Every structure is written in structure tokens, then in C-alpha cells.
Amino acid sequence: YAAALIALDREDLNIQYAAKIDSDAIMFVNRLWNYTHNNERQLRDKYVLLGWFVTKKQCSTGRWDNLCKDPLFKAPKFALGGTYIISKALLRNAYLDGSSSDHRRSLHFPHHEDMSQGNMMLGNDSNVTVDDITLMQLPPQSPASHAGQKTPRRMYKNYFQRCGCLYNNTKEMMATAEDWPTK
């Protein structure tokens, strides 16, 4: 998120969201566009987190090796790591304005970045509570997919082929740009 945090101060860029995407995931820009277009009202909320969520109760079972029973995990849920998208305001609150750097360090969950992010955004003792945050479950036809899991062919595990898929997907989306709303 470091680059996103630096870019937040560049008002001329009009950045509204940052995304965490695993390196083995493919971003389908046209799906992201369709998703944001279809959910425009909710995305206007100040604090938004989009992802696939796992609750603390689910994660406190043997299937998850009881990870969430660890007292270091403070959040009621977290987003799984393939992809999650965070609004600018939530990102600022979690990483810059919401609490002291010592408190943010205390929210680190060793060896589990997604749970650390859950703590930062949903378990932080700042002025923003979980009730203030619009949590949006990403659909099965997500804006991003892991290679070999949701993509149709395993060949996308090859980095250069994935880049080609991303390029073609973006090119296809740009071909329809004249149909986009102006806002």
C-alpha cells in the first residue's frame, strides 16, 4: 500500500481506491468496471472494503488451524488475500490518521498479511468502527481471479501469458470506452 499512500496526497490523480492483488491473480478490468458500475451507490460510501470475507468464528475452527483464536487477531472478519479493494478514506484511516504508529504495529499478525490487514481496517481502535464500513462481498465472477482456480486454463500460471491476458482484457475494455458514463 506504500505507493497508494504516497499517491493519496496527489489530488490531481483523483485516486478513490487501492487494491491488494496477489501476484498470481489476474485483474479483469472489464469485470471491475461492470461491478463498480452496478454498485455505484454503495461505492459512494466513505469507508468501503470489497473482498471475500471470512469471519472470526469461521477462522477459529480446525479447518483454519484455529488461527483466529490467537489473541493477536482482533478483527471480527478479514478479507481473503487474492484480491481486496479499499476506499481511500478507509486506507487513510487504517494506515495514516486513525491511530499511532505504535498501535498500528501492535495490530500486526505474524505470517498472515490478510489477517494483519483485517486488524488494521476492522480491528483498529480508531474513530472508525466496523459499523461505519461498507463491506461488499465480491461476486463469483470477480474482478480478479487466481490462476488455475477460477481462470479457465492453467496456462495463465505462466507470468508472461498472464500479462498478455491482462493486456488483451484492458484493450477490449478500452475499445468500449466511448460507452462509459462520464463520471
Side-chain angles (χ1 to χ4, degrees), residues 5 63 73 84 100 102 111 115:
L5 289 171
R63 180 174 180 218
F73 186 64
Y84 40 94
S100 70
D102 287 337
H111 311 293
M115 296 171 80

Side-chain angles (χ1 to χ4, degrees), residues 37-137:
H37 183 68
N38 293 333
N39 294 283
E40 193 174 344
R41 187 189 59 73
Q42 292 128 307
L43 291 171
R44 284 191 208 132
D45 292 347
K46 186 171 183 179
Y47 302 108
V48 179
L49 177 60
L50 297 91
W52 294 287
F53 298 101
V54 176
T55 66
K56 189 170 191 163
K57 183 178 177 182
Q58 289 171 308
C59 180
S60 296
T61 65
R63 180 174 180 218
W64 289 84
D65 293 330
N66 297 305
L67 279 173
C68 291
K69 285 186 177 179
D70 189 313
L72 288 175
F73 186 64
K74 298 171 176 26
K77 58 179 70 178
F78 66 97
L80 289 176
T83 303
Y84 40 94
I85 302 170
I86 310 153
S87 68
K88 175 180 174 177
L90 182 56
L91 194 63
R92 279 198 80 90
N93 183 73
Y95 292 95
L96 296 175
D97 306 331
S99 59
S100 70
S101 57
D102 287 337
H103 179 69
R104 289 191 299 268
R105 274 199 266 328
S106 75
L107 295 171
H108 177 67
F109 196 92
H111 311 293
H112 297 282
E113 65 179 284
D114 300 325
M115 296 171 80
S116 287
Q117 304 312 321
N119 274 349
M120 290 295 290
M121 289 177 267
L122 303 171
N124 196 340
D125 294 331
S126 71
N127 57 337
V128 177
T129 68
V130 176
D131 293 335
D132 297 325
I133 300 170
T134 301
L135 298 173
M136 296 176 66
Q137 189 79 15

Side-chain angles (χ1 to χ4, degrees), residues 10-21:
R10 293 270 318 266
E11 293 298 323
D12 58 314
L13 296 176
N14 196 24
I15 294 174
Q16 299 301 313
Y17 296 91
K20 184 268 187 187
I21 304 168

